Amino acid sequence: MATSLTEEIKKVEAQAKQRVAEARSEAARIVSKARDEADLMRKESKQEAYKRYKSRLTEVEAEAEKKADSIVAEGEKEAQKFIEAGRKGVGAVSSWVAEEVMARYGRS
């Protein structure tokens, strides 16, 4: 009976070692799978963030373009007003200059 008990203990120890080895192998596989999934999620997150960045950049550029167009249009209006204001005074100034020249140098 002592030998069969010893053999039984050895058999149980061998099974326990086998189960421990299988558990370690399974744990390594699970860890590896989790790392792969985490890497994939990180890559996908980076890609999604880059897509959102490019999309937002396009939106901001479009908004800036609209604002720049409105600023340019406003500047053109102001420039046209300035030109028109200058045109109104040109006739009076040219008449005044002509009168001054005529008065100083005569009409001949």
Side-chain angles (χ1 to χ4, degrees), residues 68-84:
D69 289 343
S70 68
I71 290 170
V72 168
E74 186 65 31
E76 287 175 349
K77 287 178 186 177
E78 289 180 20
Q80 194 62 35
K81 287 179 186 177
F82 179 75
I83 290 169
E84 291 301 320

Side-chain angles (χ1 to χ4, degrees), residues 86-100:
R87 280 187 182 156
K88 291 176 184 174
V90 168
V93 171
S94 63
S95 295
W96 174 78
V97 169
E99 287 176 19
E100 289 294 318

